[in-house]
């Protein structure tokens, strides 16, 4: 049957070649002579003349070096940008910054027509400046100038965190020309709350960021005397200044005793319930036995005779009846 298999499968059924016989050893492996071990004193002079070892950069050192280089490049880029940045010289900005709002986190498909349809009901719009990059692509935010400052304030109050083309936007006043010393995000400034730190600090709710809503930093107790447990809180002290070990021990003992008393009380209550239940069962059994005996004829006749004897010679109700 295997002869009909193809050559590649037929090789799987081919027996292995026989093992090559090995002559037996003349002695045990432990009895074989081992190489002689010598000291390294004769090589110390050569080691001193060897060239110094070249230090090798570890992966952690390489990551730290790249991180420092990026930080230096970012700092130099910020310094160069600040030397030429002046928002008052922007020819594409709106005319009156005190009547202008910025709408950020917009959908990249948003157009000027969409913004006008969204903000026109609040007040008359003078101009809308869509911010694009060097290639003409929309960057996701725009400046809207209103005719009146009251309309700008109303848009600032009402339009924040609204949804435009499926995305919730952020509405804020223009701060580049109205706040002294203001810096945008690209120059390590801004007022956003999405890059503060970890997940517990970054803003998750849509809308403007309120610095007053930041959680207070967690205060941790640090005991300078103990380096092994920096987070260990101070032990309680009593009025005399001594450590309250004894009071803590007494409280633990009292709690243990109260638990034992409750356990014993529950056990005794269970025993009483069982005893009452057994007593009621015995009483019911005896009552049923008495009722069964009262129905038998012999018991009824014996009762009749006893009642006749007690009534002194036949003056029982049976004799009076007949």
């Amino acid at each position: 049957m295997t002869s009909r298999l193809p050559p590649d499968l037929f090789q799987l059924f081919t027996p292995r070649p026989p093992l090559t016989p090995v002559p037996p050893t003349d002695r045990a492996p432990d009895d074989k002579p081992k190489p002689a071990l010598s000291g390294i004193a004769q090589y110390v002079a050569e080691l001193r003349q060897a060239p110094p070892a070249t230090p090798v950069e570890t992966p952690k050192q390489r990551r730290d070096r790249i991180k420092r280089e990026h930080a230096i490049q970012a700092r130099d880029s910020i310094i160069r940008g600040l030397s030429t940045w002046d928002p008052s010289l922007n020819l594409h900005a709106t005319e009156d910054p005190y009547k202008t709002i910025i709408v950020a986190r917009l959908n990249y498909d948003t157009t000027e027509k969409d913004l006008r349809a969204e903000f026109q009901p609040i007040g008359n719009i003078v101009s809308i400046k869509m911010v694009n990059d060097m290639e003409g692509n929309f960057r996701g935010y725009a400046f809207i100038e209103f005719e009146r400052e009251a309309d700008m304030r109303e848009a600032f109050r009402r339009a924040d965190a609204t949804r435009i083309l499926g995305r919730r936007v952020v509405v804020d006043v223009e701060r580049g020309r109205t706040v002294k010393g203001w810096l945008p995000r690209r120059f390590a400034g801004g007022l956003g709350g999405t890059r503060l730190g970890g997940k517990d600090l970054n803003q998750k709710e849509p809308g403007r960021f309120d610095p007053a809503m930041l959680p207070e930093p967690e205060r941790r107790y640090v005991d300078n005397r103990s380096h092994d447990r920096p987070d260990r809180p101070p032990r309680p002290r009593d009025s005399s200044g001594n450590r309250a070990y004894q009071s803590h021990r007494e409280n633990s003992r009292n709690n243990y005793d109260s638990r034992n008393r409750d356990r014993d009380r529950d056990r005794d209550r269970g025993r009483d319930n069982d005893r009452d239940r057994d007593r009621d069962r015995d009483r019911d059994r005896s009552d049923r036995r008495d009722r069964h005996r009262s129905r038998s004829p012999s018991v009824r006749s014996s009762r009749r005779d006893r009642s006749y004897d007690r009534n002194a010679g036949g003056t029982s109700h049976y004799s009076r009846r007949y």
Side-chain angles (χ1 to χ4, degrees), residues 97 99-104 119 142-144 146 152 155-157 159-161 169-176 178-179 182 190-192 207-209:
K99 299 179 182 179
T100 304
I101 62 172
I102 178 175
V103 184
F119 289 93
F143 294 91
I144 303 176
F146 288 89
M152 183 274 296
F156 173 80
R157 184 179 62 86
D160 185 50
V169 299
V170 176
V171 178
D172 197 1
V173 297
E174 182 184 349
R175 300 179 183 270
T178 58
V179 179
W182 175 260
L191 195 62
R208 286 188 299 272
F209 171 68

PDB file of all heavy atoms in Angstrom, residues 97 99-104 119 142-144 146 152 155-157 159-161 169-176 178-179 182 190-192 207-209:
ATOM      1  N   PRO A  97     -10.430  92.105  18.211  1.00  0.00           N
ATOM      2  CA  PRO A  97     -10.256  90.866  18.973  1.00  0.00           C
ATOM      3  C   PRO A  97     -11.248  90.731  20.123  1.00  0.00           C
ATOM      4  O   PRO A  97     -11.495  89.612  20.592  1.00  0.00           O
ATOM      5  CB  PRO A  97      -8.816  90.964  19.490  1.00  0.00           C
ATOM      6  CG  PRO A  97      -8.534  92.421  19.523  1.00  0.00           C
ATOM      7  CD  PRO A  97      -9.298  93.027  18.391  1.00  0.00           C
ATOM      8  N   LYS A  99     -14.365  91.185  20.017  1.00  0.00           N
ATOM      9  CA  LYS A  99     -15.632  90.681  19.505  1.00  0.00           C
ATOM     10  C   LYS A  99     -15.456  89.335  18.786  1.00  0.00           C
ATOM     11  O   LYS A  99     -16.322  88.921  18.030  1.00  0.00           O
ATOM     12  CB  LYS A  99     -16.255  91.679  18.528  1.00  0.00           C
ATOM     13  CG  LYS A  99     -16.572  93.031  19.148  1.00  0.00           C
ATOM     14  CD  LYS A  99     -17.168  93.977  18.115  1.00  0.00           C
ATOM     15  CE  LYS A  99     -17.453  95.345  18.716  1.00  0.00           C
ATOM     16  NZ  LYS A  99     -18.014  96.291  17.721  1.00  0.00           N
ATOM     17  N   THR A 100     -14.315  88.688  19.038  1.00  0.00           N
ATOM     18  CA  THR A 100     -13.943  87.470  18.314  1.00  0.00           C
ATOM     19  C   THR A 100     -13.891  86.298  19.286  1.00  0.00           C
ATOM     20  O   THR A 100     -13.406  86.422  20.414  1.00  0.00           O
ATOM     21  CB  THR A 100     -12.575  87.643  17.637  1.00  0.00           C
ATOM     22  OG1 THR A 100     -12.613  88.790  16.783  1.00  0.00           O
ATOM     23  CG2 THR A 100     -12.217  86.422  16.823  1.00  0.00           C
ATOM     24  N   ILE A 101     -14.389  85.175  18.821  1.00  0.00           N
ATOM     25  CA  ILE A 101     -14.279  83.914  19.558  1.00  0.00           C
ATOM     26  C   ILE A 101     -13.519  82.921  18.699  1.00  0.00           C
ATOM     27  O   ILE A 101     -13.457  83.050  17.473  1.00  0.00           O
ATOM     28  CB  ILE A 101     -15.667  83.338  19.927  1.00  0.00           C
ATOM     29  CG1 ILE A 101     -16.465  83.011  18.660  1.00  0.00           C
ATOM     30  CG2 ILE A 101     -16.426  84.261  20.853  1.00  0.00           C
ATOM     31  CD1 ILE A 101     -17.755  82.261  18.918  1.00  0.00           C
ATOM     32  N   ILE A 102     -12.941  81.937  19.375  1.00  0.00           N
ATOM     33  CA  ILE A 102     -12.266  80.837  18.685  1.00  0.00           C
ATOM     34  C   ILE A 102     -13.077  79.566  18.904  1.00  0.00           C
ATOM     35  O   ILE A 102     -13.521  79.269  20.011  1.00  0.00           O
ATOM     36  CB  ILE A 102     -10.820  80.659  19.198  1.00  0.00           C
ATOM     37  CG1 ILE A 102     -10.173  79.455  18.489  1.00  0.00           C
ATOM     38  CG2 ILE A 102     -10.772  80.521  20.703  1.00  0.00           C
ATOM     39  CD1 ILE A 102      -8.702  79.278  18.836  1.00  0.00           C
ATOM     40  N   VAL A 103     -13.290  78.841  17.828  1.00  0.00           N
ATOM     41  CA  VAL A 103     -14.029  77.577  17.864  1.00  0.00           C
ATOM     42  C   VAL A 103     -13.034  76.477  17.493  1.00  0.00           C
ATOM     43  O   VAL A 103     -12.556  76.440  16.346  1.00  0.00           O
ATOM     44  CB  VAL A 103     -15.235  77.584  16.907  1.00  0.00           C
ATOM     45  CG1 VAL A 103     -16.026  76.301  17.048  1.00  0.00           C
ATOM     46  CG2 VAL A 103     -16.111  78.797  17.164  1.00  0.00           C
ATOM     47  N   ALA A 104     -12.698  75.614  18.450  1.00  0.00           N
ATOM     48  CA  ALA A 104     -11.673  74.586  18.257  1.00  0.00           C
ATOM     49  C   ALA A 104     -12.295  73.198  18.310  1.00  0.00           C
ATOM     50  O   ALA A 104     -13.472  73.027  18.630  1.00  0.00           O
ATOM     51  CB  ALA A 104     -10.582  74.726  19.313  1.00  0.00           C
ATOM     52  N   PHE A 119     -23.804  79.694  14.151  1.00  0.00           N
ATOM     53  CA  PHE A 119     -23.630  80.864  15.016  1.00  0.00           C
ATOM     54  C   PHE A 119     -24.420  82.086  14.550  1.00  0.00           C
ATOM     55  O   PHE A 119     -24.469  83.074  15.277  1.00  0.00           O
ATOM     56  CB  PHE A 119     -22.137  81.230  15.093  1.00  0.00           C
ATOM     57  CG  PHE A 119     -21.325  80.247  15.877  1.00  0.00           C
ATOM     58  CD1 PHE A 119     -20.689  79.190  15.236  1.00  0.00           C
ATOM     59  CD2 PHE A 119     -21.190  80.357  17.242  1.00  0.00           C
ATOM     60  CE1 PHE A 119     -19.939  78.281  15.947  1.00  0.00           C
ATOM     61  CE2 PHE A 119     -20.431  79.460  17.960  1.00  0.00           C
ATOM     62  CZ  PHE A 119     -19.801  78.401  17.318  1.00  0.00           C
ATOM     63  N   ALA A 142     -11.262  77.747  14.053  1.00  0.00           N
ATOM     64  CA  ALA A 142     -11.575  78.946  13.280  1.00  0.00           C
ATOM     65  C   ALA A 142     -11.882  80.087  14.244  1.00  0.00           C
ATOM     66  O   ALA A 142     -12.197  79.878  15.423  1.00  0.00           O
ATOM     67  CB  ALA A 142     -12.766  78.704  12.349  1.00  0.00           C
ATOM     68  N   PHE A 143     -11.794  81.333  13.725  1.00  0.00           N
ATOM     69  CA  PHE A 143     -12.096  82.547  14.476  1.00  0.00           C
ATOM     70  C   PHE A 143     -13.341  83.199  13.875  1.00  0.00           C
ATOM     71  O   PHE A 143     -13.422  83.371  12.658  1.00  0.00           O
ATOM     72  CB  PHE A 143     -10.922  83.528  14.446  1.00  0.00           C
ATOM     73  CG  PHE A 143      -9.695  83.015  15.164  1.00  0.00           C
ATOM     74  CD1 PHE A 143      -8.725  82.293  14.482  1.00  0.00           C
ATOM     75  CD2 PHE A 143      -9.522  83.266  16.508  1.00  0.00           C
ATOM     76  CE1 PHE A 143      -7.608  81.832  15.138  1.00  0.00           C
ATOM     77  CE2 PHE A 143      -8.398  82.803  17.173  1.00  0.00           C
ATOM     78  CZ  PHE A 143      -7.436  82.085  16.487  1.00  0.00           C
ATOM     79  N   ILE A 144     -14.280  83.541  14.736  1.00  0.00           N
ATOM     80  CA  ILE A 144     -15.537  84.150  14.302  1.00  0.00           C
ATOM     81  C   ILE A 144     -15.664  85.508  14.977  1.00  0.00           C
ATOM     82  O   ILE A 144     -15.594  85.611  16.211  1.00  0.00           O
ATOM     83  CB  ILE A 144     -16.748  83.262  14.658  1.00  0.00           C
ATOM     84  CG1 ILE A 144     -16.596  81.871  14.032  1.00  0.00           C
ATOM     85  CG2 ILE A 144     -18.043  83.911  14.210  1.00  0.00           C
ATOM     86  CD1 ILE A 144     -17.696  80.907  14.416  1.00  0.00           C
ATOM     87  N   PHE A 146     -18.060  88.787  15.669  1.00  0.00           N
ATOM     88  CA  PHE A 146     -19.442  89.236  15.698  1.00  0.00           C
ATOM     89  C   PHE A 146     -19.504  90.752  15.567  1.00  0.00           C
ATOM     90  O   PHE A 146     -18.508  91.466  15.755  1.00  0.00           O
ATOM     91  CB  PHE A 146     -20.120  88.796  17.009  1.00  0.00           C
ATOM     92  CG  PHE A 146     -20.398  87.328  17.084  1.00  0.00           C
ATOM     93  CD1 PHE A 146     -19.448  86.448  17.599  1.00  0.00           C
ATOM     94  CD2 PHE A 146     -21.590  86.813  16.623  1.00  0.00           C
ATOM     95  CE1 PHE A 146     -19.711  85.093  17.668  1.00  0.00           C
ATOM     96  CE2 PHE A 146     -21.865  85.455  16.685  1.00  0.00           C
ATOM     97  CZ  PHE A 146     -20.916  84.593  17.203  1.00  0.00           C
ATOM     98  N   MET A 152     -20.927  88.217  21.091  1.00  0.00           N
ATOM     99  CA  MET A 152     -19.751  87.380  21.330  1.00  0.00           C
ATOM    100  C   MET A 152     -19.830  86.728  22.709  1.00  0.00           C
ATOM    101  O   MET A 152     -19.524  85.526  22.858  1.00  0.00           O
ATOM    102  CB  MET A 152     -18.484  88.227  21.221  1.00  0.00           C
ATOM    103  CG  MET A 152     -17.181  87.440  21.379  1.00  0.00           C
ATOM    104  SD  MET A 152     -16.623  87.222  23.088  1.00  0.00           S
ATOM    105  CE  MET A 152     -16.299  88.915  23.542  1.00  0.00           C
ATOM    106  N   ALA A 155     -22.379  83.900  22.569  1.00  0.00           N
ATOM    107  CA  ALA A 155     -21.827  82.708  21.916  1.00  0.00           C
ATOM    108  C   ALA A 155     -20.821  82.004  22.816  1.00  0.00           C
ATOM    109  O   ALA A 155     -20.751  80.768  22.856  1.00  0.00           O
ATOM    110  CB  ALA A 155     -21.188  83.095  20.593  1.00  0.00           C
ATOM    111  N   PHE A 156     -20.050  82.798  23.554  1.00  0.00           N
ATOM    112  CA  PHE A 156     -19.092  82.212  24.494  1.00  0.00           C
ATOM    113  C   PHE A 156     -19.808  81.410  25.578  1.00  0.00           C
ATOM    114  O   PHE A 156     -19.316  80.372  26.035  1.00  0.00           O
ATOM    115  CB  PHE A 156     -18.260  83.340  25.115  1.00  0.00           C
ATOM    116  CG  PHE A 156     -17.344  82.888  26.216  1.00  0.00           C
ATOM    117  CD1 PHE A 156     -16.132  82.293  25.937  1.00  0.00           C
ATOM    118  CD2 PHE A 156     -17.694  83.059  27.552  1.00  0.00           C
ATOM    119  CE1 PHE A 156     -15.284  81.873  26.954  1.00  0.00           C
ATOM    120  CE2 PHE A 156     -16.861  82.646  28.565  1.00  0.00           C
ATOM    121  CZ  PHE A 156     -15.652  82.054  28.269  1.00  0.00           C
ATOM    122  N   ARG A 157     -20.974  81.845  25.976  1.00  0.00           N
ATOM    123  CA  ARG A 157     -21.709  81.188  27.054  1.00  0.00           C
ATOM    124  C   ARG A 157     -22.526  79.995  26.552  1.00  0.00           C
ATOM    125  O   ARG A 157     -22.626  78.969  27.218  1.00  0.00           O
ATOM    126  CB  ARG A 157     -22.623  82.205  27.729  1.00  0.00           C
ATOM    127  CG  ARG A 157     -23.376  81.669  28.947  1.00  0.00           C
ATOM    128  CD  ARG A 157     -24.238  82.740  29.554  1.00  0.00           C
ATOM    129  NE  ARG A 157     -25.253  83.186  28.623  1.00  0.00           N
ATOM    130  CZ  ARG A 157     -26.439  82.598  28.472  1.00  0.00           C
ATOM    131  NH1 ARG A 157     -26.743  81.525  29.182  1.00  0.00           N
ATOM    132  NH2 ARG A 157     -27.313  83.051  27.602  1.00  0.00           N
ATOM    133  N   ALA A 159     -22.473  78.382  23.204  1.00  0.00           N
ATOM    134  CA  ALA A 159     -22.002  77.468  22.150  1.00  0.00           C
ATOM    135  C   ALA A 159     -20.932  76.498  22.612  1.00  0.00           C
ATOM    136  O   ALA A 159     -20.569  75.581  21.860  1.00  0.00           O
ATOM    137  CB  ALA A 159     -21.474  78.266  20.959  1.00  0.00           C
ATOM    138  N   ASP A 160     -20.406  76.642  23.813  1.00  0.00           N
ATOM    139  CA  ASP A 160     -19.348  75.744  24.260  1.00  0.00           C
ATOM    140  C   ASP A 160     -19.901  74.335  24.450  1.00  0.00           C
ATOM    141  O   ASP A 160     -21.001  74.137  24.987  1.00  0.00           O
ATOM    142  CB  ASP A 160     -18.747  76.256  25.565  1.00  0.00           C
ATOM    143  CG  ASP A 160     -17.569  75.425  26.006  1.00  0.00           C
ATOM    144  OD1 ASP A 160     -16.666  75.196  25.181  1.00  0.00           O
ATOM    145  OD2 ASP A 160     -17.541  75.001  27.181  1.00  0.00           O
ATOM    146  N   ALA A 161     -19.128  73.333  24.014  1.00  0.00           N
ATOM    147  CA  ALA A 161     -19.465  71.910  24.131  1.00  0.00           C
ATOM    148  C   ALA A 161     -20.654  71.510  23.272  1.00  0.00           C
ATOM    149  O   ALA A 161     -21.220  70.428  23.471  1.00  0.00           O
ATOM    150  CB  ALA A 161     -19.721  71.520  25.585  1.00  0.00           C
ATOM    151  N   VAL A 169     -17.391  70.821  20.238  1.00  0.00           N
ATOM    152  CA  VAL A 169     -16.383  71.854  20.014  1.00  0.00           C
ATOM    153  C   VAL A 169     -16.096  72.581  21.324  1.00  0.00           C
ATOM    154  O   VAL A 169     -16.827  72.466  22.311  1.00  0.00           O
ATOM    155  CB  VAL A 169     -16.858  72.840  18.939  1.00  0.00           C
ATOM    156  CG1 VAL A 169     -17.093  72.126  17.626  1.00  0.00           C
ATOM    157  CG2 VAL A 169     -18.121  73.569  19.385  1.00  0.00           C
ATOM    158  N   VAL A 170     -15.027  73.351  21.300  1.00  0.00           N
ATOM    159  CA  VAL A 170     -14.632  74.202  22.418  1.00  0.00           C
ATOM    160  C   VAL A 170     -14.683  75.647  21.934  1.00  0.00           C
ATOM    161  O   VAL A 170     -14.081  75.980  20.907  1.00  0.00           O
ATOM    162  CB  VAL A 170     -13.217  73.854  22.914  1.00  0.00           C
ATOM    163  CG1 VAL A 170     -12.788  74.807  24.018  1.00  0.00           C
ATOM    164  CG2 VAL A 170     -13.179  72.432  23.416  1.00  0.00           C
ATOM    165  N   VAL A 171     -15.395  76.484  22.655  1.00  0.00           N
ATOM    166  CA  VAL A 171     -15.560  77.890  22.297  1.00  0.00           C
ATOM    167  C   VAL A 171     -14.914  78.725  23.388  1.00  0.00           C
ATOM    168  O   VAL A 171     -15.209  78.557  24.575  1.00  0.00           O
ATOM    169  CB  VAL A 171     -17.049  78.256  22.131  1.00  0.00           C
ATOM    170  CG1 VAL A 171     -17.195  79.738  21.813  1.00  0.00           C
ATOM    171  CG2 VAL A 171     -17.681  77.412  21.035  1.00  0.00           C
ATOM    172  N   ASP A 172     -14.034  79.632  22.987  1.00  0.00           N
ATOM    173  CA  ASP A 172     -13.341  80.493  23.938  1.00  0.00           C
ATOM    174  C   ASP A 172     -13.101  81.845  23.280  1.00  0.00           C
ATOM    175  O   ASP A 172     -13.223  81.984  22.054  1.00  0.00           O
ATOM    176  CB  ASP A 172     -12.012  79.862  24.358  1.00  0.00           C
ATOM    177  CG  ASP A 172     -11.453  80.484  25.637  1.00  0.00           C
ATOM    178  OD1 ASP A 172     -12.134  81.380  26.183  1.00  0.00           O
ATOM    179  OD2 ASP A 172     -10.361  80.078  26.067  1.00  0.00           O
ATOM    180  N   VAL A 173     -12.742  82.834  24.088  1.00  0.00           N
ATOM    181  CA  VAL A 173     -12.437  84.155  23.554  1.00  0.00           C
ATOM    182  C   VAL A 173     -11.043  84.131  22.949  1.00  0.00           C
ATOM    183  O   VAL A 173     -10.218  83.265  23.254  1.00  0.00           O
ATOM    184  CB  VAL A 173     -12.533  85.216  24.662  1.00  0.00           C
ATOM    185  CG1 VAL A 173     -13.947  85.306  25.205  1.00  0.00           C
ATOM    186  CG2 VAL A 173     -11.555  84.910  25.782  1.00  0.00           C
ATOM    187  N   GLU A 174     -10.759  85.105  22.093  1.00  0.00           N
ATOM    188  CA  GLU A 174      -9.414  85.212  21.538  1.00  0.00           C
ATOM    189  C   GLU A 174      -8.491  85.811  22.592  1.00  0.00           C
ATOM    190  O   GLU A 174      -8.716  86.914  23.087  1.00  0.00           O
ATOM    191  CB  GLU A 174      -9.411  86.090  20.289  1.00  0.00           C
ATOM    192  CG  GLU A 174      -8.035  86.176  19.652  1.00  0.00           C
ATOM    193  CD  GLU A 174      -7.991  87.111  18.469  1.00  0.00           C
ATOM    194  OE1 GLU A 174      -9.056  87.541  18.017  1.00  0.00           O
ATOM    195  OE2 GLU A 174      -6.873  87.414  18.002  1.00  0.00           O
ATOM    196  N   ARG A 175      -7.454  85.101  22.915  1.00  0.00           N
ATOM    197  CA  ARG A 175      -6.555  85.526  23.984  1.00  0.00           C
ATOM    198  C   ARG A 175      -5.214  86.021  23.473  1.00  0.00           C
ATOM    199  O   ARG A 175      -4.457  86.622  24.228  1.00  0.00           O
ATOM    200  CB  ARG A 175      -6.320  84.373  24.959  1.00  0.00           C
ATOM    201  CG  ARG A 175      -7.608  83.868  25.621  1.00  0.00           C
ATOM    202  CD  ARG A 175      -7.338  82.706  26.552  1.00  0.00           C
ATOM    203  NE  ARG A 175      -8.579  82.196  27.113  1.00  0.00           N
ATOM    204  CZ  ARG A 175      -9.131  82.630  28.244  1.00  0.00           C
ATOM    205  NH1 ARG A 175      -8.540  83.603  28.928  1.00  0.00           N
ATOM    206  NH2 ARG A 175     -10.255  82.107  28.696  1.00  0.00           N
ATOM    207  N   GLY A 176      -4.886  85.756  22.211  1.00  0.00           N
ATOM    208  CA  GLY A 176      -3.580  86.168  21.706  1.00  0.00           C
ATOM    209  C   GLY A 176      -3.386  87.665  21.703  1.00  0.00           C
ATOM    210  O   GLY A 176      -2.287  88.166  21.991  1.00  0.00           O
ATOM    211  N   THR A 178      -5.674  89.837  23.374  1.00  0.00           N
ATOM    212  CA  THR A 178      -6.390  90.454  24.486  1.00  0.00           C
ATOM    213  C   THR A 178      -5.758  90.159  25.849  1.00  0.00           C
ATOM    214  O   THR A 178      -6.008  90.896  26.800  1.00  0.00           O
ATOM    215  CB  THR A 178      -7.843  89.948  24.517  1.00  0.00           C
ATOM    216  OG1 THR A 178      -7.851  88.530  24.632  1.00  0.00           O
ATOM    217  CG2 THR A 178      -8.566  90.356  23.244  1.00  0.00           C
ATOM    218  N   VAL A 179      -4.962  89.105  25.963  1.00  0.00           N
ATOM    219  CA  VAL A 179      -4.327  88.747  27.232  1.00  0.00           C
ATOM    220  C   VAL A 179      -2.824  88.984  27.102  1.00  0.00           C
ATOM    221  O   VAL A 179      -2.180  88.444  26.198  1.00  0.00           O
ATOM    222  CB  VAL A 179      -4.621  87.278  27.598  1.00  0.00           C
ATOM    223  CG1 VAL A 179      -3.936  86.905  28.913  1.00  0.00           C
ATOM    224  CG2 VAL A 179      -6.119  87.045  27.698  1.00  0.00           C
ATOM    225  N   TRP A 182       0.208  86.108  26.696  1.00  0.00           N
ATOM    226  CA  TRP A 182      -0.406  84.837  26.297  1.00  0.00           C
ATOM    227  C   TRP A 182       0.443  84.136  25.256  1.00  0.00           C
ATOM    228  O   TRP A 182       0.987  84.759  24.337  1.00  0.00           O
ATOM    229  CB  TRP A 182      -1.811  85.079  25.766  1.00  0.00           C
ATOM    230  CG  TRP A 182      -2.471  83.851  25.218  1.00  0.00           C
ATOM    231  CD1 TRP A 182      -2.581  83.490  23.924  1.00  0.00           C
ATOM    232  CD2 TRP A 182      -3.087  82.820  25.987  1.00  0.00           C
ATOM    233  NE1 TRP A 182      -3.239  82.288  23.813  1.00  0.00           N
ATOM    234  CE2 TRP A 182      -3.563  81.852  25.069  1.00  0.00           C
ATOM    235  CE3 TRP A 182      -3.286  82.612  27.343  1.00  0.00           C
ATOM    236  CZ2 TRP A 182      -4.223  80.717  25.484  1.00  0.00           C
ATOM    237  CZ3 TRP A 182      -3.945  81.472  27.744  1.00  0.00           C
ATOM    238  CH2 TRP A 182      -4.405  80.536  26.812  1.00  0.00           C
ATOM    239  N   GLY A 190      -1.080  77.935  26.170  1.00  0.00           N
ATOM    240  CA  GLY A 190      -2.422  77.415  25.996  1.00  0.00           C
ATOM    241  C   GLY A 190      -3.147  77.233  27.320  1.00  0.00           C
ATOM    242  O   GLY A 190      -2.576  77.412  28.398  1.00  0.00           O
ATOM    243  N   LEU A 191      -4.410  76.914  27.204  1.00  0.00           N
ATOM    244  CA  LEU A 191      -5.258  76.754  28.375  1.00  0.00           C
ATOM    245  C   LEU A 191      -5.989  75.422  28.346  1.00  0.00           C
ATOM    246  O   LEU A 191      -6.968  75.223  29.035  1.00  0.00           O
ATOM    247  CB  LEU A 191      -6.283  77.900  28.437  1.00  0.00           C
ATOM    248  CG  LEU A 191      -7.030  78.101  29.753  1.00  0.00           C
ATOM    249  CD1 LEU A 191      -6.073  78.430  30.865  1.00  0.00           C
ATOM    250  CD2 LEU A 191      -8.073  79.194  29.614  1.00  0.00           C
ATOM    251  N   GLY A 192      -5.534  74.465  27.555  1.00  0.00           N
ATOM    252  CA  GLY A 192      -6.216  73.184  27.460  1.00  0.00           C
ATOM    253  C   GLY A 192      -5.924  72.295  28.647  1.00  0.00           C
ATOM    254  O   GLY A 192      -4.943  72.507  29.380  1.00  0.00           O
ATOM    255  N   GLY A 207     -15.797  70.562  26.188  1.00  0.00           N
ATOM    256  CA  GLY A 207     -15.967  71.966  26.546  1.00  0.00           C
ATOM    257  C   GLY A 207     -14.671  72.595  27.028  1.00  0.00           C
ATOM    258  O   GLY A 207     -13.585  72.010  26.955  1.00  0.00           O
ATOM    259  N   ARG A 208     -14.804  73.829  27.519  1.00  0.00           N
ATOM    260  CA  ARG A 208     -13.648  74.564  28.001  1.00  0.00           C
ATOM    261  C   ARG A 208     -13.072  73.919  29.245  1.00  0.00           C
ATOM    262  O   ARG A 208     -13.769  73.250  30.007  1.00  0.00           O
ATOM    263  CB  ARG A 208     -14.018  76.018  28.302  1.00  0.00           C
ATOM    264  CG  ARG A 208     -14.211  76.891  27.081  1.00  0.00           C
ATOM    265  CD  ARG A 208     -14.387  78.339  27.488  1.00  0.00           C
ATOM    266  NE  ARG A 208     -15.555  78.517  28.344  1.00  0.00           N
ATOM    267  CZ  ARG A 208     -16.777  78.750  27.899  1.00  0.00           C
ATOM    268  NH1 ARG A 208     -17.000  78.821  26.600  1.00  0.00           N
ATOM    269  NH2 ARG A 208     -17.767  78.913  28.733  1.00  0.00           N
ATOM    270  N   PHE A 209     -11.792  74.177  29.442  1.00  0.00           N
ATOM    271  CA  PHE A 209     -11.100  73.652  30.615  1.00  0.00           C
ATOM    272  C   PHE A 209     -11.110  74.700  31.710  1.00  0.00           C
ATOM    273  O   PHE A 209     -10.754  75.864  31.484  1.00  0.00           O
ATOM    274  CB  PHE A 209      -9.664  73.275  30.256  1.00  0.00           C
ATOM    275  CG  PHE A 209      -8.820  72.924  31.445  1.00  0.00           C
ATOM    276  CD1 PHE A 209      -9.075  71.771  32.164  1.00  0.00           C
ATOM    277  CD2 PHE A 209      -7.788  73.743  31.846  1.00  0.00           C
ATOM    278  CE1 PHE A 209      -8.306  71.445  33.258  1.00  0.00           C
ATOM    279  CE2 PHE A 209      -7.014  73.418  32.937  1.00  0.00           C
ATOM    280  CZ  PHE A 209      -7.272  72.269  33.643  1.00  0.00           C
TER     281      PHE A 209
END
